[in-house]
Amino acid sequence: DQQVKQNSPSLSVQEGRISILNCDYTNSMFDYFLWYKKYPAEGPTFLISISSIKDKNEDGRFTVFLNKSAKHLSLHIVPSQPGDSAVYFCAASKGSGNTGKLIFGQGTTLQVKP
Amino acid sequence: EAQVTQNPRYLITVTGKKLTVTCSQNMNHEYMSWYRQDPGLGLRQIYYSMNVEVTDKGDVPEGYKVSRKEKRNFPLILESPSPNQTSLYFCASSFGNGRYEQYFGPGTRLTVT
């Protein structure tokens, strides 16, 4: 049972355009969401997060939007750069007492073309 | 430099030969976890530890053991590896106490023949 789903295995955008990566979840108990970025031969690195009490969080070129009623979150990258080409994972957690337990999606491979 | 280290980075072994993958962090983190990454399945948590001598199962614990005798170390033990444990393994650590961000090691590529 995949509680966190990234239904698009891959995405290709032109440099300078917006990249939108999507993530859906099924468990309404999730209250904190994170995005990670992974380059080949490296471990995932934390990118941005959002608490369920917010609907938007921004950090430079990266913005995460949360729609709790739809159980959907998205990561916007504007403008996209070739160095953003990587695998992006969304992850969810079920509360401050469980900060050690993250549920990850399958990942979306983003390719930004020069 | 704050980091999570794993050893070895690459390992090829045979079915049934016990192995240990080490993980160490230098950030004084409370929480540590092990994940495996497989194509189409993303990252799945194997085990996690909330503190020394406190561990719990993740989503795919079968065939794995862990121990947390010291805060900085969290080794993953495969007592009798099988080919379905061929995967890319990541160790991660985090502060806990409401801070969710996990810091990942570089990964260990394990092949069991």
Side-chain angles (χ1 to χ4, degrees):
Chain A
D1 177 30
Q2 191 82 24
Q3 297 185 67
V4 178
K5 298 179 183 179
Q6 294 175 256
N7 292 316
S8 297
S10 63
L11 174 67
S12 181
V13 300
Q14 209 65 37
E15 181 179 5
R17 299 290 185 101
I18 184 172
S19 295
I20 301 176
L21 296 97
N22 294 303
C23 180
D24 297 297
Y25 61 96
T26 57
N27 193 331
S28 57
M29 297 296 290
F30 289 144
D31 66 352
Y32 200 86
F33 304 89
L34 307 91
W35 284 94
Y36 280 82
K37 175 177 172 180
K38 184 184 178 304
Y39 292 119
E42 294 182 12
T45 55
F46 169 72
L47 193 57
I48 192 170
S49 62
I50 187 166
S51 165
S52 61
I53 62 173
K54 296 185 176 182
D55 54 20
K56 177 183 173 181
N57 189 28
E58 222 171 324
D59 184 1
R61 296 186 297 114
F62 302 92
T63 303
V64 56
F65 295 92
L66 175 63
N67 182 334
K68 289 190 291 294
S69 60
K71 294 191 179 69
H72 177 84
L73 64 155
S74 60
L75 175 68
H76 293 212
I77 306 174
V78 184
S80 300
Q81 299 173 353
D84 295 329
S85 298
V87 179
Y88 289 79
F89 292 99
C90 67
S93 182
K94 276 192 270 187
S96 61
N98 284 300
T99 53
K101 189 163 177 60
L102 291 180
I103 310 295
F104 282 83
Q106 306 97 309
T108 297
T109 299
L110 173 66
Q111 182 186 27
V112 180
K113 297 179 179 177
Chain B
E1 179 190 354
Q3 59 182 353
V4 178
T5 56
Q6 295 178 228
N7 282 293
R9 293 291 311 277
Y10 302 91
L11 179 59
I12 300 174
T13 189
V14 296
T15 298
K17 187 176 181 182
K18 181 179 178 179
L19 66 92
T20 299
V21 184
T22 65
C23 172
S24 184
Q25 51 93 5
N26 62 1
M27 296 169 279
N28 201 35
H29 284 170
E30 300 285 333
Y31 281 76
M32 297 186 75
S33 295
W34 276 102
Y35 294 87
R36 59 179 289 175
Q37 183 188 0
D38 300 289
L41 297 175
L43 291 156
R44 293 179 295 167
Q45 194 173 46
I46 302 170
Y47 268 97
Y48 64 104
S49 169
M50 294 74 83
N51 213 325
V52 174
E53 303 291 5
V54 183
T55 62
D56 203 356
K57 295 178 181 178
D59 298 313
V60 287
E62 294 77 20
Y64 304 94
K65 283 177 58 177
V66 292
S67 68
R68 186 98 179 269
K69 293 184 169 54
E70 304 167 283
K71 196 172 187 178
R72 64 183 291 126
N73 296 322
F74 191 45
L76 179 69
I77 302 157
L78 284 72
E79 295 268 2
S80 182
S82 62
N84 65 11
Q85 292 178 299
T86 292
S87 187
L88 179 58
Y89 291 86
F90 291 101
C91 181
S93 69
S94 61
F95 283 105
N97 291 322
R99 297 177 64 174
Y100 295 81
E101 297 81 6
Q102 295 192 8
Y103 297 80
F104 283 79
T108 295
R109 173 74 66 182
L110 172 65
T111 302
V112 184
T113 61

